[in-house]
Each structure stands twice: as structure tokens, then as C-alpha cells.
Amino acid sequence: MKIYQVIEKKLKDSLSPIVLEISNESYKHTVPKDSETHFRLLVVSASFEQQSLVKRHQVIYGLLADELKNGLHALALNTYTPDEWDSHSKIPESPNCIGGGR
């Protein structure tokens, strides 16, 4: 199973997101062309209610701990509650890595 698929399954199973976008941004970095090492995640979930931004990120890093130990290098996380998403509705773009895309 590809890392993308593992991320998707774990987040869906644990967080029941109403919005889930997973973008492989490895191409922005100096890694082999078919790499799955750098991802940007948009997760909108009611399970984030009453959680700080740090706690939300800790939850996701905990869910993906095995992947982070085995090839997944970086995550850009955008986490929202449904109410926050309704008023936000746009995520920032990730910057290119210095020397990325070579």
C-alpha cells in the first residue's frame, strides 16, 4: 500500500473528517521523482473541537508515527473544526524547498 493510501485510511478511520485533502508535495523537494516523503494535509473534523492546534497536530503525528519512522519525512498540516473551515475555506500553499525540484 502506498503511503498516500495509508495516510488516507488512518485519518478517515480515526478522525472521520468531513474534508480530507492529501497532497504529495515531494516534487518540491530534492528526492527521487516517485517519492512519497513530503505531504500537505487538510483535515476538517469535529474531533478537533476543543483541541488546541498543537494537540491536533500531535494527534495526526501519533496516527502516522510508523510512517514517519519509515520514509515519510515531512507533513504540512492544516487542521480545522467544521466551524473554523466554514469561515476559512482556503489553505495556504506550501513553499518550495531550498534546492527543491532539482
Side-chain angles (χ1 to χ4, degrees), residues 45-65:
S45 174
S47 66
F48 293 146
E49 298 285 348
Q50 307 301 316
Q51 287 186 346
S52 69
L53 186 60
V54 170
K55 179 62 179 167
R56 296 172 192 185
H57 289 199
Q58 288 172 336
V59 167
I60 291 173
Y61 279 113
L63 292 170
L64 302 177

Side-chain angles (χ1 to χ4, degrees), residues 2 6 9 11-12 21 34 38 41 57 75 93-94:
K2 295 227 174 228
V6 172
K9 179 169 178 23
L11 295 180
K12 282 183 175 181
E21 292 181 16
D34 61 347
H38 297 71
L41 306 179
H57 289 199
L75 294 170
E93 288 294 319
S94 298

Side-chain angles (χ1 to χ4, degrees), residues 11-60:
L11 295 180
K12 282 183 175 181
D13 289 352
S14 297
L15 302 175
S16 302
I18 60 169
V19 177
L20 177 60
E21 292 181 16
I22 305 168
S23 301
N24 183 346
E25 295 188 333
S26 301
Y27 69 92
K28 293 182 176 184
H29 303 273
T30 309
V31 296
K33 196 173 191 175
D34 61 347
S35 292
E36 286 190 299
T37 56
H38 297 71
F39 285 88
R40 180 171 44 92
L41 306 179
L42 167 62
V43 186
V44 180
S45 174
S47 66
F48 293 146
E49 298 285 348
Q50 307 301 316
Q51 287 186 346
S52 69
L53 186 60
V54 170
K55 179 62 179 167
R56 296 172 192 185
H57 289 199
Q58 288 172 336
V59 167
I60 291 173

Side-chain angles (χ1 to χ4, degrees), residues 64-95:
L64 302 177
D66 288 339
E67 290 69 35
L68 287 161
K69 290 178 188 172
N70 295 297
L72 179 57
H73 176 71
L75 294 170
L77 302 177
N78 299 277
T79 57
Y80 303 97
T81 65
D83 286 343
E84 290 168 342
W85 181 243
D86 285 343
S87 64
H88 210 256
S89 298
K90 187 175 181 194
I91 59 172
E93 288 294 319
S94 298

